[in-house]
Amino acid sequence: MGGMSVRTQSSQQPAEEGGASRPVEGGGEHRAGFACFVGRPNAGKSTLTNALVGQKVAITSNRPQTTRHTVRGIVHRPDAQLILVDTPGLHKPRTLLGERLNDVVRTTWAEVDVIGFCLPADQKIGPGDRYIAKELAGIRKTPKVAVVTKTDLVEPKALAEQLIAIDQLGKELGIEWAEIVPVSAVGDKQVRLLADLLIPLLPPGPALYPEGDLTDEPEQVMVAELIREAALEGVRDELPHSIAVVVEEMLPREDRPADKPLLDIHANVFIERPSQKGIIIGPKGRRLKEVGMKSRKHIEALLGTPVFLDLHVKVAKDWQRDPKQLRRLGF
């Protein structure tokens, strides 16, 4: 890489919303393919996925390791279809669950068309980032884009320093960045530009998903993720990874008029120890009620229908270390 090329979009020429904001290479061929964002936990991967798709699809949390499933967000454009695969953060595994998550990550990286390496603008490059960058250096063929996230949190000088550090990291490990792009998903800065830069790196081909699809995750998994996110809020320090949610059934309520449908959702929140039950349920059941109300709002927005949510808290002893229970809980 000769000099460092950092992509920014001039404020005078915003990319057209959702449209083809620059000609596609190869004489206007339609492109379609998979991109995945990697980065240490809490590097802003899920938030970026949601900003690109324009709808909440991946679970976002300021706690590491909350994305457990490969949630795919789909960006539809006239010239292309970009399918985002959201992998769990790669980290040094401590439990069987951790090892499984890391295997999922490596398998995903080998199968995508482009990898976006997310590095937060407000944190210096650390051992966690280097660990991932070394793994990336070993995946030769896939183009890699360095995405500097959370740029709204820093001054221009600090951002410039981070961009230089990322360029250096690439040189040191022999990674040639296809692009280096600063973005702020929260401030919606340069998010469309990022899509514009990822699309030419996809192979030419027809759309892989029907228009209107935002994710290919089964609805039940997404609903479980939304409940899990609400259940983690406020108790992350006490129960960071001890919560799993399984949606037992989703059934339309019978005998409802067509214009007033209601979906019954029965879900179990699993924790590892009986002592954690009180934390989740809260005094007089107040916390669990709040979790229900919060997640119901998001589920109704996702499914576009009124929902009755029935939540139960159950103990699955040490489920993170037990292969049988991991399977039962969908890992």
Side-chain angles (χ1 to χ4, degrees), residues 57-329:
V57 289
I59 176 175
T60 54
S61 141
N62 55 12
R63 189 83 203 180
Q65 248 188 282
T66 43
T67 310
R68 287 247 173 90
H69 296 279
T70 307
V71 176
R72 295 173 171 87
I74 303 168
V75 181
H76 299 275
R77 303 201 349 183
D79 58 334
Q81 190 177 66
L82 173 66
I83 299 137
L84 301 166
V85 186
D86 191 33
T87 56
L90 190 82
H91 58 287
K92 297 201 163 118
R94 280 189 299 276
T95 60
L96 181 63
L97 173 65
E99 277 169 45
R100 274 206 198 164
L101 291 179
N102 279 1
D103 292 342
V104 169
V105 176
R106 289 195 191 91
T107 315
T108 304
W109 292 5
E111 291 168 354
V112 297
D113 300 297
V114 55
I115 296 172
F117 182 23
C118 296
L119 296 123
D122 64 331
Q123 292 163 40
K124 283 202 164 28
I125 293 174
D129 301 310
R130 280 180 182 282
Y131 176 68
I132 293 168
K134 278 192 187 122
E135 293 270 337
L136 281 180
I139 297 171
R140 288 266 171 241
K141 289 198 185 88
T142 317
K144 297 156 199 77
V145 172
V147 185
V148 187
T149 58
K150 310 187 185 188
T151 56
D152 50 299
L153 301 179
V154 296
E155 297 296 319
K157 183 174 177 289
L159 177 58
E161 283 166 9
Q162 185 72 323
L163 294 168
I164 292 164
I166 289 166
D167 186 44
Q168 278 308 112
L169 179 69
K171 289 198 171 93
E172 209 179 291
L173 297 173
I175 300 172
E176 194 165 318
W177 304 119
E179 306 278 359
I180 298 177
V181 198
V183 299
S184 163
V186 174
D188 202 19
K189 282 198 179 69
Q190 303 231 124
V191 171
R192 276 185 205 96
L193 174 71
L194 176 61
D196 293 347
L197 297 174
L198 292 173
I199 283 165
L201 300 170
L202 303 177
L208 301 167
Y209 287 87
E211 182 81 60
D213 278 13
L214 290 171
T215 172
D216 78 344
E217 273 290 282
E219 283 175 344
Q220 271 176 257
V221 173
M222 291 179 68
V223 166
E225 289 286 78
L226 290 170
I227 295 168
R228 188 164 175 273
E229 181 177 23
L232 274 170
E233 233 162 84
V235 297
R236 290 196 169 98
D237 296 332
E238 298 155 277
L239 309 176
H241 312 313
S242 310
I243 298 176
V245 175
V246 175
V247 173
E248 296 294 336
E249 56 178 16
M250 288 171 46
L251 295 169
R253 176 86 54 97
E254 287 174 21
D255 312 326
R256 296 282 292 195
D259 58 340
K260 287 197 176 148
L262 184 67
L263 187 66
D264 283 318
I265 298 178
H266 300 278
N268 291 326
V269 178
F270 288 98
I271 45 176
E272 293 194 295
R273 290 186 292 284
S275 60
Q276 298 170 333
K277 222 170 173 171
I279 300 174
I280 289 287
I281 294 171
K284 296 191 175 152
R286 273 202 297 273
R287 236 204 121 255
L288 190 62
K289 203 179 257 167
E290 213 168 281
V291 169
M293 276 159 51
K294 224 174 227 157
S295 52
R296 198 186 73 226
K297 266 218 297 271
H298 286 306
I299 293 164
E300 290 182 338
L302 173 78
L303 302 178
T305 178
V307 160
F308 172 80
L309 184 58
D310 176 38
L311 283 184
H312 293 274
V313 179
K314 299 193 169 180
V315 178
K317 205 166 162 335
D318 291 332
W319 64 264
Q320 293 193 58
R321 295 173 193 281
D322 177 348
K324 265 221 236 14
Q325 301 218 52
L326 280 170
R327 268 201 304 280
R328 186 167 70 92
L329 298 174

Side-chain angles (χ1 to χ4, degrees), residues 30-43:
H30 187 279
R31 289 176 181 271
F34 294 85
C36 92
F37 293 129
V38 305
R40 62 190 154 92
N42 195 24

